[in-house]
Amino acid sequence: MIVLFGATGDLAKRKLLPGAFHLFEAGLMPEFRVLGTARTELDTEAFRRLAREAIEQFARCPVTPKGLPHFVSRLSYVGPKAGPAGLRAAVEAAGAELVKLLGEAGLAERARVVMEKPFGTDLASAERLNATLHEVFDESQIFRIDHYLGKEARPPVPPESIDRRREAGPEPPACPRR
């Protein structure tokens, strides 16, 4: 079970949903559920359409007509009006069997959580969110990122050191298939 907060945002559309689809296509995510939630009020069908369009637009490998419908059928969405109880019910309904398997397999204690900026709306809300995370996760399990600023700064490259034959960039990696 993947709970995707900010599921209608730019990062989700450009990177996370297409990336999850590629993992699915490569056979690395055979059994999964993705529960999306965000500030946008959508139903599951609208979220599935959004995901399908995002994958078709931003996927780096060809999208198979057979794989995409199966992938999006594993997506569900809970909007903000459902509140915490709605989110909890959706997680339990969509992934109870997977959560149970993770616990039985002893994998829950090795879980990781990635939090993307903005982290809270102000200092007080960030501190509350951090305290809540620490009720469940050890600090070593929490990763905080800014997907725009997460790359290391690099010094400028002198123009004379650029190999003009490679201006188009490296070849993209091969697209694995199951």
Side-chain angles (χ1 to χ4, degrees):
M1 164 64 70
I2 298 169
V3 180
L4 182 54
F5 294 91
T8 62
D10 188 61
L11 177 64
K13 289 190 277 191
R14 290 179 179 270
K15 301 290 184 186
L16 301 178
L17 291 167
F21 175 70
H22 290 314
L23 290 172
F24 168 74
E25 282 282 277
L28 299 173
M29 260 179 36
E31 295 298 324
F32 73 97
R33 297 254 195 249
V34 174
L35 174 63
T37 187
R39 290 180 283 187
T40 306
E41 194 61 54
L42 296 176
D43 61 16
T44 291
E45 287 310 311
F47 178 59
R48 288 177 177 172
R49 281 191 301 276
L50 178 144
R52 180 186 309 270
E53 291 167 6
I55 291 165
E56 288 171 344
Q57 182 177 0
F58 297 110
R60 297 177 83 186
C61 296
V63 176
T64 62
K66 189 176 182 181
L68 188 55
H70 184 67
F71 176 82
V72 297
S73 74
R74 310 290 287 175
L75 307 178
S76 56
Y77 187 85
V78 175
K81 288 183 182 176
L87 181 60
R88 181 183 184 94
V91 168
E92 289 173 358
E97 73 278 7
L98 295 176
V99 171
K100 184 178 177 184
L101 281 173
L102 287 173
E104 290 173 359
L107 298 174
E109 67 271 5
R110 295 191 323 241
R112 305 288 189 264
V113 63
V114 178
M115 300 299 296
E116 183 197 1
K117 282 181 60 180
F119 191 81
T121 56
D122 57 18
L123 179 60
S125 66
E127 288 172 339
R128 283 192 305 275
L129 181 55
N130 203 46
T132 301
L133 284 169
H134 284 112
E135 289 175 12
V136 178
F137 297 100
D138 180 72
E139 181 62 31
S140 66
Q141 296 173 284
I142 303 168
F143 300 89
R144 295 169 188 85
I145 66 165
D146 182 322
H147 75 283
Y148 288 111
L149 301 176
K151 295 182 180 178
E152 290 185 29
R154 296 179 189 228
V157 177
E160 61 274 4
S161 68
I162 297 173
D163 182 353
R164 300 288 178 204
R165 293 171 291 169
R166 302 269 336 223
E167 283 184 350
E171 288 292 319
C175 297
R177 295 280 181 239
R178 334 182 221 177

